[in-house]
């Protein structure tokens, strides 16, 4: 059974700014909360396909700065303002060069694609979708895990490709793809119509997070074990070996280890989703513009803005 996911989308006006995009909080706990960017409705099944009607209301605005508690102190508030300004500045620089092209986030399960995708969509005025959620809607099942159990991984992959095919015909979307979307060459044909970004997270960090939150929603990892971390790390290592070259096909790579090193952190879990989104915009900017954009240039531009 293949899903012909014909999607009709009407987006609301983009959110009114990114004032709160920089509220600093640990990236990993936040990533468990999947971004719900729109209202998805599944049409009735036909003999050969299932029609998926998508009504996108756009991404929800990120938490405004005024919600930051005073107890966080003026330093935290200053950091939040700086991050928000940096996000806004970077989005303005790359938006023209994107020319409406979609952005596809790829990476291992748990790498933060949905959360980072929501931030990118907000600052760019795009709509954000999670391909796994669209497959669930199309098939009429509540989770990927259930699709794997009732049908098979192959069945899921076929429907995943159908969803990506239809998304690729649209514009101004940020798409958080499933961890295994990269293994089918046909999916790259669809994603290459836009711009792909690989969120590269160290395996030990992924294993720690996944072992803490559980694997019930992740069918490829959901196996009984007395040591959840070791089991998760072993399986993730195997998947990374299988998919490493495929992830490297992405147009841009965002390495959390490199971001942490720049900021003087020894642990990538100290990074916020905003830190990662800023780096993603930098890498996207380097790809779509003729001259690479560096952190130094952005910092200099930010200081000029503040001086004005």
């Amino acid at each position: 059974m293949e899903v012909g996911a014909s999607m009709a989308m009407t987006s609301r006006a983009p959110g009114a700014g990114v004032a709160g995009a920089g509220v600093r909080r640990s990236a990993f706990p936040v990533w468990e909360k999947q971004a719900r960017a729109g209202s998805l409705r599944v049409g009735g099944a036909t003999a050969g396909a299932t029609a998926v009607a998508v009504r996108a209301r756009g991404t929800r605005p990120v938490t405004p700065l005024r919600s930051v508690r005073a107890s966080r102190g003026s330093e935290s508030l200053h950091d939040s303002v700086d991050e928000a300004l940096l996000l806004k500045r970077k989005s303005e620089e790359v938006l023209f060069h994107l020319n409406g092209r979609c952005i596809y986030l790829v990476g291992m399960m748990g790498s933060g694609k949905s959360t980072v995708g929501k931030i990118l969509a907000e600052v760019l005025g795009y709509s954000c979708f999670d391909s796994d959620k669209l497959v669930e809607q199309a098939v009429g099942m509540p989770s990927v895990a259930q699709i794997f159990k009732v049908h098979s991984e192959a069945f899921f992959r076929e429907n995943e490709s159908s969803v990506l095919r239809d998304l690729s015909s649209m514009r101004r979307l940020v798409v958080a793809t499933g961890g295994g979307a990269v293994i089918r060459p046909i999916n790259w044909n669809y994603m290459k119509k836009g711009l792909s970004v690989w969120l590269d997270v160290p395996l030990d960090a992924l294993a720690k997070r996944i072992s803490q939150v559980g694997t019930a929603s992740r069918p490829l990892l959901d196996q009984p074990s007395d040591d959840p971390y070791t089991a998760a790390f072993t399986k993730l290592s195997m998947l990374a070996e299988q998919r490493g070259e495929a992830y490297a096909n992405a147009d841009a790579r965002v390495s959390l280890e490199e971001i942490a090193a720049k900021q003087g952190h020894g642990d990538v879990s100290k990074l916020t989703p905003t830190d990662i989104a800023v780096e993603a915009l930098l890498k996207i900017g380097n790809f779509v513009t003729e001259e690479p954009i560096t952190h130094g240039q952005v910092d200099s531009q930010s200081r000029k803005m503040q001086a004005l």
Side-chain angles (χ1 to χ4, degrees):
M1 176 181 177
E2 179 176 347
V3 176
S6 176
M7 303 183 180
M9 180 174 66
T10 57
S11 300
R12 69 162 174 80
V18 295
V23 176
R24 295 191 65 86
R25 56 185 68 163
S26 177
F28 277 75
V30 176
W31 289 350
E32 180 62 17
K33 300 178 181 178
Q34 297 289 331
R36 295 188 61 185
S39 174
L40 311 180
R41 292 187 175 182
V42 181
T46 64
T50 300
V52 180
V54 178
R55 295 194 314 168
R57 294 197 300 260
T59 55
R60 295 178 180 177
V62 288
T63 308
L65 272 178
R66 62 176 177 273
S67 70
V68 180
R69 295 181 181 178
S71 61
R72 294 178 63 87
S74 59
E75 182 177 352
S76 295
L77 184 61
H78 179 73
D79 289 342
S80 298
V81 172
D82 284 348
E83 286 183 338
L85 288 173
L86 189 55
L87 271 173
K88 186 178 186 329
R89 185 70 173 182
K90 285 306 310 154
S91 64
E92 290 173 347
E93 290 175 358
V94 305
L95 191 57
F96 173 79
H97 296 283
L98 277 173
N99 193 29
R101 281 180 291 176
C102 294
I103 296 172
Y104 298 89
L105 301 180
V106 302
M108 293 286 283
M109 61 184 78
S111 58
K113 299 183 292 289
S114 294
T115 300
V116 174
K118 181 181 178 182
I119 295 173
L120 292 176
E122 179 70 20
V123 297
L124 292 170
Y126 276 31
S127 292
C128 182
F129 291 103
D130 184 316
S131 66
D132 281 355
K133 299 298 182 185
L134 291 179
V135 174
E136 291 166 4
Q137 291 286 332
V139 176
M141 290 188 175
S143 68
V144 173
Q146 187 174 354
I147 296 173
F148 271 54
K149 182 178 180 180
V150 174
H151 297 285
S152 65
E153 181 179 356
F155 175 85
F156 173 82
R157 297 299 174 199
E158 285 292 333
N159 287 291
E160 180 178 56
S161 293
S162 295
V163 164
L164 291 174
R165 177 194 64 206
D166 290 321
L167 289 172
S168 72
S169 68
M170 301 180 186
R171 292 170 61 81
R172 299 179 63 83
L173 303 179
V174 177
V175 180
T177 67
V182 296
I183 64 178
R184 302 192 82 194
I186 187 63
N187 292 343
W188 282 107
N189 290 345
Y190 302 140
M191 291 190 289
K192 287 299 182 181
K193 294 181 181 180
L195 188 148
S196 54
V197 180
W198 172 22
L199 300 187
D200 186 8
V201 184
L203 295 182
D204 62 331
L206 287 177
K208 287 177 183 176
R209 175 186 178 270
I210 291 173
S211 63
Q212 290 171 357
V213 301
T215 59
S217 64
R218 306 184 186 281
L220 293 180
L221 294 184
D222 192 21
Q223 300 174 2
S225 173
D226 294 332
D227 184 355
Y229 169 80
T230 300
F233 184 83
T234 300
K235 183 63 176 179
L236 287 168
S237 297
M238 184 183 72
L239 291 173
E241 185 174 353
Q242 295 171 352
R243 301 171 180 176
E245 292 184 3
Y247 288 135
N249 286 327
D251 298 313
R253 171 177 172 261
V254 175
S255 168
L256 268 66
E257 285 186 320
E258 291 179 1
I259 304 173
K262 290 176 184 177
Q263 297 189 6
H265 298 316
D267 185 353
V268 299
S269 67
K270 295 184 181 298
L271 299 176
T272 69
T274 301
D275 292 330
I276 301 163
V278 168
E279 184 71 11
L281 285 171
L282 285 167
K283 294 300 178 71
I284 291 170
N286 289 343
F287 183 81
V288 299
T289 58
E290 293 183 0
E291 295 185 4
I293 302 169
T294 67
H295 275 288
Q297 289 173 314
V298 174
D299 292 341
S300 175
Q301 291 165 344
S302 179
R303 285 193 295 270
K304 289 179 182 178
M305 289 177 61
Q306 294 176 21
L308 294 175

